[in-house]
Amino acid sequence: MKIVNSVLAALCVLATAVVAKPSVDQQIAQLESSNSKLLQYPTQFTQNIMPKMIHSHNDYWRDVPLLTALSFGVASVEADVSLINGTLFVGHENAALTPDRTLDSLYIQPLLQILKKQNPRNAFTAGSTTPNGVFDVASDMPLQLLIDIKTDGVEALPFILKAFQPLRELGYLTTFANGTLTTSAITVVGTGNSPLEQVKALSPRDYFFDAPLTQLTDPSLNTTWDPTLAPLASTDYASAVGWSGIGNITDEQRANITRFVGDAHARGMTARFWDTPAWPVYARENIWRALLEGGADWLNADDLEAASSF
């Protein structure tokens, strides 16, 4: 009887010990609920977010401009900019503009705040000369910011360059100077009415040009295309390819994709096809698949959640 009681007592102790020993999930919950400093580090704003070669078309349409894109790992965002009475407003058309939604408020100030978090100044970072980008898991990957000028480009460009001065002062802008291209946290690319000749004349240059993907070999443009002027080349999908995503893509349409992408890659530039059909969803995904198979670098998207999980 004594032996039985001893065994039972031992089993009770063992059971108590097993219950008292936390599982992995319990340990995680305890650490998280205690706000443990073991789980905190300076650059975790985009913790566990994998960057993806997705372009957020008209990014200001997202629920939260810039931040929604970053939450999906989107590595390129686009802002339509209109210069009105000396202020750079962001929106697709004048009817959509508001006094509060400016290039500074929607993009420049948030980027300054994010990059401050990603580039802490402390004993560990003393002597660092290369800024971190917005993505914690790929700190050397720049965020591409397209500025689509909707008003007169020649008039707007000086205002845009001035607007980026806070980022410029901190060394956060990719820059071409003295024959050297230095990649940094943000690569600004002008599109829309951005004036090519004025961009070519910039020295140093931290505002680049979105080259015409289908005209990179056109001598009439009198331009040598390379990443020091245009890291990106884009074109309208409908005019360059034209496949609806329904039925089979033709050999000619597939050849157009590879030819234009090849022209860009031969010059060290990335390629993007804009205004790809968004519906039906299966057709959109067929087109995305064909573009990626043809070597296109950027998926132009409005549905960021779908693109990020594609």
Side-chain angles (χ1 to χ4, degrees), residues 144 187 189-190 196 199 205 207-212 216 223-233 264 267-270:
Q144 182 172 258
T187 299
V189 180
L196 175 58
V199 173
R205 180 184 301 124
Y207 184 94
F208 299 88
F209 196 80
D210 184 13
L216 297 179
T223 300
T224 300
W225 299 109
D226 63 42
T228 68
L229 173 63
L232 171 69
R267 292 162 176 79
M269 303 155 66
T270 58

Side-chain angles (χ1 to χ4, degrees), residues 56-69 77-82 89-93 96-97 101-102 106-107 145-148 150 302 304:
S56 179
H57 168 246
N58 291 353
D59 178 73
Y60 49 86
W61 280 345
R62 308 290 86 83
D63 290 341
V64 181
L66 179 64
L67 298 186
T68 297
V77 296
E78 175 184 335
D80 288 358
V81 173
S82 297
F89 296 99
V90 172
H92 192 61
E93 56 190 8
L97 304 181
R101 289 167 65 89
T102 66
L106 291 184
Y107 291 94
L145 174 56
L146 263 64
I147 302 297
D148 186 339
K150 293 298 185 183
D302 288 292
L304 303 185

Side-chain angles (χ1 to χ4, degrees), residues 45-52 70-74 135-138:
F45 181 75
T46 51
Q47 182 180 7
N48 292 331
I49 297 176
M50 298 301 298
K52 306 168 186 71
L70 294 183
S71 74
F72 288 111
V74 171
F135 293 110
D136 182 40
V137 300

Side-chain angles (χ1 to χ4, degrees), residues 169-207:
E169 288 177 349
L170 294 171
Y172 291 151
L173 299 181
T174 296
T175 303
F176 177 63
N178 301 317
T180 300
L181 181 65
T182 303
T183 301
S184 194
I186 309 293
T187 299
V188 182
V189 180
T191 189
N193 290 333
S194 292
L196 175 58
E197 293 306 316
Q198 282 73 15
V199 173
K200 288 165 70 172
L202 293 175
S203 183
R205 180 184 301 124
D206 54 24
Y207 184 94

Side-chain angles (χ1 to χ4, degrees), residues 101-120:
R101 289 167 65 89
T102 66
L103 179 62
D104 187 68
S105 65
L106 291 184
Y107 291 94
I108 293 176
Q109 291 306 316
L111 283 171
L112 283 168
Q113 294 171 14
I114 293 167
L115 291 172
K116 182 178 180 180
K117 296 175 183 177
Q118 302 307 103
N119 292 277

